[in-house]
Amino acid sequence: MIIPVTLKPPSDDGRKLPPQLANLGNGDLVLIELQGTLEVQGSTDPQFVGTMEIDPKTNKPSLVIGPHFLEGKIVSLPTPLAIMEKNKSPSNDQMSGMDVDDDENREETGVEWQISAIVRKKVVFAKRPMPILNRPVSNIGKK
Amino acid sequence: MAESLPHGGQPIQLAFSPTSAKESGNFRLLELPPDLLKSIESNNGSPLTWAIKGDPTEDAVLCTDDKTYSIRSISLSNSVLIAGPGEAQDQIIIQDTNRELLQVAPVLPKVHRLAGLLRGREYDEGREDLDDDMHDDEQATQSQQQAKKGYLTYAQALTGIQASEAELTKALKDRRILLLNGTLRPIAASYLSTILELLLNSLVSLQQKHDSASVKLLADTLQDDHDIRPQVTKQVMGWFGDVDERQWKMEIPSVLKQVGIGILKSYRHDPIDEKEFLDKWRNAVGDTFASQADLSLLSGNYLVSTKPQSHPPSNQLTYFPSSELPLEPLARFSDLFLTRSRWKAEEIAPFLDDIAIDRKERDKLLLKYARALTTPGGTYYTSRTIK
């Protein structure tokens, strides 16, 4: 069995990362590391998770999720990472216009992985969250 | 866009994507050692042609154009969110959550499988079973027919064997496998020796220089006088030197080595005197090249023993090719120590070269599977198994 690994061509849908996060690697993806997991109840359909902020002076990130405040840092990765994305339906992308036989061959070989981005830095929130007491969410970041 | 907060930073809204639940598992994180990173970054314009190869029964490997890497999954204690840009400039969308990292390490390509896949498919003198006079446009269909007959095609080998294309090409060259009409055919050793000896003789008789011999002249001569297909002669020349359109630059050592092995092969069970062997070898390669036939060319293919009761003491050689030893380190060491109970460091080294990627790894194998004994006469290795 053989699974091709290719480079994803740069997307041109006009979407860009916020400028504060744009220098963490090349490509439009960032890594945010959290201790533990995000527990989600119910559906994850377009759901707001939290607000992140990067202090332009100290370059320290902070994250507020509900009543939790997390302090983090931006860490350089010892080894750069490629973020690979499973190519969901090759037949819809480049394969359109090809005849049915080719499409069937394609399915035999299975999926394809595309390298969407290379990241050299990640945002890490490794500390335990601190509770925010009696503060409305709009006041995040204040101490 | 939201106004600045007291911290001074622009707030970034973090959200799940509408499809994030469905898309879970669609992303992988792959560590990029310097050579892989370079291979992506130096990739200007030409598409990246990496591939993950492996049957369900094998551990998958990653193949670049010229290297093979093992893939290992490392579990992370933290979770890593992979986020991309959202609809709004101040929004990022979580695409996936990942708790593992793929780590790669260079490994030897699994080209050893070729031997098993090609058993019984040898190409030998007098076993002409392929149609010679074929046009190029017929070759594709011919290749498919050959595949049905049980011959392994190049395309099948590239898909089925865990090796990069450059490594596969090199393996075909190293293992003396001909590519005839799209199928892989190992050349019979005796036939190869014959062709090489004919080439060496023809160089002399046609007064060609070994570093700029005419490809056409040699191929035609071998075809006319000895009925050897030019397609075969040309590939053989390519294995033993550089061939461009017209000229062959012969690599003398590799030709001499192959001819030497051809002679040595008959002495698998009964040893031959070192001197007698050298005479035979030098005779076979002819006067022009005789002086360059040195035993060091054959390292990893023979064992030396001292002839009992001889004055002066003389050495004897036995054919012992490392290519026939098991690939599994444990099995290889047990074979080696069955053959000899103790080995000098420099004696055992040639028999480990094809299972260790470098010197460091060889030393690691020795440390793990053998016991080192340091004596005034040098370091010896013995078996770790207590008999």
Side-chain angles (χ1 to χ4, degrees):
Chain A
M1 186 155 85
I2 187 158
I3 302 167
V5 178
T6 56
L7 271 185
K8 190 175 183 174
S11 67
D12 47 5
D13 59 3
R15 291 187 180 191
K16 281 213 166 67
L17 283 174
Q20 307 94 298
L21 294 174
N23 61 349
L24 302 186
N26 26 1
D28 278 342
L29 290 172
V30 286
L31 297 182
I32 301 165
E33 192 173 313
L34 296 174
Q35 202 189 33
T37 43
L38 281 180
E39 290 281 341
V40 184
Q41 284 178 349
S43 140
T44 58
D45 262 20
Q47 198 175 344
F48 173 75
V49 176
T51 307
M52 189 163 76
E53 202 186 315
I54 296 174
D55 188 321
K57 292 189 203 82
T58 59
N59 211 25
K60 287 249 189 258
S62 57
L63 177 65
V64 173
I65 299 178
H68 305 294
F69 176 82
L70 292 115
E71 249 187 341
K73 54 191 172 189
I74 293 177
V75 177
S76 288
L77 294 162
T79 319
L81 288 176
I83 303 179
M84 297 198 297
E85 189 177 353
K86 198 187 278 181
N87 200 350
K88 286 144 271 176
S89 49
S91 48
N92 288 352
D93 289 331
Q94 318 102 308
M95 300 309 283
S96 58
M98 295 210 174
D99 58 26
V100 184
D101 281 355
D102 276 351
D103 242 318
E104 278 172 4
N105 282 340
R106 189 75 180 191
E107 273 172 24
E108 270 176 19
T109 60
V111 288
E112 176 182 292
W113 287 92
Q114 288 190 324
I115 296 178
S116 313
I118 296 169
V119 287
R120 291 161 204 277
K121 290 178 182 175
K122 60 182 175 183
V123 185
V124 182
F125 296 101
K127 287 184 195 154
R128 286 183 171 275
M130 288 182 289
I132 306 170
L133 298 171
N134 301 325
R135 270 170 213 268
V137 176
S138 60
N139 274 351
I140 48 162
K142 280 186 184 170
K143 284 202 177 170
Chain B
M1 191 163 292
E3 64 189 275
S4 254
L5 288 169
H7 256 157
Q10 295 283 350
I12 301 162
Q13 310 290 321
L14 188 63
F16 278 114
S17 95
T19 53
S20 60
K22 260 186 289 169
E23 284 181 352
S24 169
N26 267 341
F27 287 86
R28 293 280 188 281
L29 300 175
L30 174 75
E31 275 198 350
L32 294 174
D35 44 346
L36 281 185
L37 186 66
K38 215 172 127 195
S39 137
I40 294 183
E41 284 177 338
S42 64
N43 182 273
N44 28 10
S46 61
L48 191 72
T49 50
W50 294 0
I52 296 166
K53 291 186 189 178
D55 288 332
T57 54
E58 294 173 306
D59 288 333
V61 298
L62 175 71
C63 296
T64 63
D65 291 341
D66 55 359
K67 287 206 185 79
T68 304
Y69 297 84
S70 64
I71 307 175
R72 203 157 64 109
S73 165
I74 310 283
S75 293
L76 302 171
S77 57
N78 290 348
S79 46
V80 179
L81 310 178
I82 296 167
E87 294 289 346
Q89 171 77 94
D90 62 346
Q91 189 189 39
I92 55 174
I93 302 286
I94 299 168
Q95 311 273 352
D96 199 1
T97 306
N98 219 306
R99 300 201 68 136
E100 66 164 16
L101 199 66
L102 300 176
Q103 223 171 37
V104 299
V107 285
L108 287 171
K110 309 258 185 341
V111 289
H112 309 288
R113 282 194 61 204
L114 278 170
L117 291 170
L118 293 171
R119 194 161 290 141
R121 305 288 172 213
E122 275 198 348
Y123 181 81
D124 203 349
E125 197 172 13
R127 264 185 47 188
E128 199 55 51
D129 48 10
L130 289 179
D131 187 12
D132 260 351
D133 307 312
M134 210 167 356
H135 300 295
D136 279 349
D137 52 330
E138 289 174 8
Q139 287 202 358
T141 44
Q142 181 76 12
S143 163
Q144 282 166 7
Q145 286 166 9
Q146 297 301 339
K148 285 197 190 103
K149 276 193 212 163
Y151 287 109
L152 186 71
T153 66
Y154 181 76
Q156 287 171 332
L158 196 58
T159 316
I161 291 174
Q162 292 187 320
S164 64
E165 183 152 16
E167 286 165 329
L168 181 65
T169 308
K170 183 173 179 297
L172 295 182
K173 187 179 168 187
D174 291 349
R175 286 158 185 267
R176 315 304 184 206
I177 296 168
L178 294 165
L179 188 59
L180 295 175
N181 304 325
T183 63
L184 304 180
R185 307 287 305 273
I187 196 165
S190 55
Y191 193 41
L192 178 60
S193 291
T194 309
I195 294 177
L196 288 176
E197 285 174 36
L198 289 172
L199 281 171
L200 289 172
N201 290 335
S202 307
L203 278 177
V204 177
S205 65
L206 298 168
Q207 297 186 323
Q208 295 283 309
K209 285 190 184 139
H210 69 81
D211 59 353
S212 59
S214 160
V215 171
K216 190 173 183 322
L217 186 61
L218 285 170
D220 287 352
T221 308
L222 263 63
Q223 183 178 33
D224 296 345
D225 298 354
H226 305 280
D227 221 11
I228 293 165
R229 290 168 64 184
Q231 211 186 346
V232 174
T233 310
K234 283 177 187 167
Q235 288 188 47
V236 170
M237 286 194 252
W239 297 339
F240 296 94
D242 294 323
V243 174
D244 63 21
E245 294 278 301
R246 292 162 42 230
Q247 290 198 326
W248 179 38
K249 188 175 176 202
M250 182 175 89
E251 271 168 27
I252 303 174
S254 55
V255 175
L256 298 187
K257 177 180 171 184
Q258 189 61 44
V259 175
I261 290 174
I263 299 168
L264 200 55
K265 271 209 160 116
S266 328
Y267 303 96
R268 187 187 286 271
H269 302 294
D270 304 311
I272 178 172
D273 257 14
E274 184 177 322
K275 198 177 164 311
E276 190 190 338
F277 169 74
L278 286 173
D279 286 345
K280 276 193 176 199
W281 189 16
R282 287 173 181 156
N283 194 29
V285 299
D287 295 341
T288 323
F289 307 105
S291 62
Q292 296 180 58
D294 189 276
L295 265 190
S296 62
L297 289 175
L298 302 179
S299 127
N301 285 288
Y302 66 90
L303 291 174
V304 187
S305 51
T306 318
K307 193 176 179 180
Q309 302 149 348
S310 67
H311 294 284
S314 69
N315 285 337
Q316 292 190 308
L317 308 178
T318 317
Y319 181 55
F320 187 73
S322 60
S323 57
E324 288 177 16
L325 291 169
L327 298 168
E328 207 55 50
L330 182 64
R332 172 161 303 205
F333 275 96
S334 90
D335 261 30
L336 285 171
F337 288 121
L338 275 176
T339 310
R340 276 193 179 179
S341 56
R342 53 187 230 161
W343 294 76
K344 273 187 183 165
E346 65 269 22
E347 280 173 349
I348 201 167
F351 297 101
L352 301 175
D353 278 349
D354 59 334
I355 56 167
I357 204 159
D358 55 23
R359 203 196 156 90
K360 207 170 118 195
E361 200 178 314
R362 188 177 77 207
D363 290 345
K364 241 165 58 191
L365 287 177
L366 280 167
L367 208 64
K368 187 166 174 193
Y369 296 103
R371 188 192 306 276
L373 266 179
T374 313
T375 66
T379 305
Y380 283 90
Y381 288 97
T382 60
S383 171
R384 276 193 169 269
T385 325
I386 298 160
K387 293 196 184 96

